[in-house]
Amino acid sequence: ELKVEQNPLFLSMQEGKNYTIYCNYSTTSDRLYWYRQDPGKSLESLFVLLSNGAVKQEGRLMASLDTKARLSTLHITAAVHDLSATYFCALSGGSNYKLTFGKGTLLTVNP
Amino acid sequence: EAGVAQSPRYKIIEKRQSVAFWCNPISGHATLYWYQQILGQGPKLLIQFQNNGVVDDSQLPKDRFSAERLKGVDSTLKIQPAKLEDSAVYLCASSRTGKTEAFFGQGTRLTVV
């Protein structure tokens, strides 16, 4: 059974600082997603990572994938308040490609 | 392109009552998912449809939950009877195939009192 662990689960940071969210998973997977969820809202897809060494960047967020280590990271550069949200990693695997989610990281960026 | 539509947005019921949620996926998306998201946790897959057939319902509590997708488009998820622990957000998602990116609806927040 695929298990997905994120850490930290809670992250409070100051504007302008950098930080990294980690996503470890237990078995090989087809692809890895990062989603953002604002309070009371649905999930918004941020990145899809398909292969070892994949790196994608959008604004202040950069995601990478190391399939050998079964690790993905979401790096936040010079955080701003608008990035406050919960971030989930999710892996697609198995014959039906179902998504298995981590518990999420609640990010709070303080002015 | 319209997104995944869900209704109602909010529902409060008493335990042992029944409730139904509706989902209309993105046009042309063959795969439809229902997820349960309990407060503070990641979404958990309840059931996955490919067209109108069930692909995975291994985590669906079948003694009280049921779902259907009769014409391969809209879907309904029903809980009968509801328990307190069913309080959660129920998210519907769809994708072109199971392998491609899933898009999520806004969810239905269920509170069982």
Side-chain angles (χ1 to χ4, degrees):
Chain A
E1 180 187 342
L2 176 60
K3 294 191 188 306
V4 182
E5 287 191 6
Q6 279 183 244
N7 68 84
L9 298 182
F10 301 94
L11 178 54
S12 179
M13 53 192 298
Q14 296 292 319
E15 278 191 331
K17 298 292 187 183
N18 305 331
Y19 210 83
T20 300
I21 299 171
Y22 298 87
C23 175
N24 291 91
Y25 54 97
S26 59
T27 63
T28 56
S29 176
D30 180 62
R31 57 191 62 197
L32 188 143
Y33 297 85
W34 283 97
Y35 285 90
R36 169 181 171 145
Q37 187 176 39
D38 291 289
K41 306 288 187 182
S42 190
L43 292 121
E44 174 193 356
S45 177
L46 296 174
F47 302 108
V48 180
L49 302 171
L50 302 178
S51 58
N52 188 44
V55 177
K56 290 196 175 178
Q57 183 162 7
E58 180 73 32
R60 301 174 188 274
L61 300 177
M62 183 174 72
S64 65
L65 178 62
D66 181 343
T67 57
K68 293 179 181 177
R70 296 179 185 163
L71 171 69
S72 179
T73 60
L74 181 66
H75 187 73
I76 303 150
T77 302
V80 293
H81 180 68
D82 286 352
L83 290 179
S84 297
T86 300
Y87 293 85
F88 292 95
C89 68
L91 281 100
S92 168
S95 59
N96 60 341
Y97 303 104
K98 75 176 185 183
L99 285 175
T100 301
F101 284 82
K103 289 188 175 182
T105 296
L106 175 58
L107 172 65
T108 304
V109 181
N110 303 304
Chain B
E1 178 178 71
V4 177
Q6 289 188 247
S7 68
R9 289 292 314 278
Y10 306 93
K11 191 75 177 178
I12 301 174
I13 62 171
E14 295 182 350
K15 59 184 179 183
R16 293 187 289 274
Q17 286 188 322
S18 62
V19 65
F21 313 128
W22 173 83
C23 173
N24 181 235
I26 294 172
S27 178
H29 282 195
T31 305
L32 185 147
Y33 313 80
W34 283 102
Y35 283 85
Q36 179 192 57
Q37 186 177 18
I38 293 173
L39 185 65
Q41 297 183 21
K44 181 185 83 170
L45 180 70
L46 292 175
I47 189 166
Q48 178 180 346
F49 292 95
Q50 180 72 18
N51 295 308
N52 59 350
V54 175
V55 174
D56 186 333
D57 63 357
S58 57
Q59 297 192 88
L60 186 74
K62 297 181 186 64
D63 58 334
R64 298 183 300 106
F65 286 65
S66 64
E68 60 184 12
R69 193 184 184 199
L70 290 175
K71 296 183 179 178
V73 181
D74 294 3
S75 177
T76 54
L77 176 70
K78 297 179 182 177
I79 308 174
Q80 182 179 12
K83 292 186 175 181
L84 296 177
E85 58 260 37
D86 298 333
S87 295
V89 175
Y90 291 85
L91 294 164
C92 179
S94 69
S95 66
R96 290 196 178 278
T97 69
K99 192 173 184 178
T100 58
E101 183 178 356
F103 295 86
F104 285 79
Q106 289 202 293
T108 297
R109 182 177 297 275
L110 173 68
T111 303
V112 182
V113 297

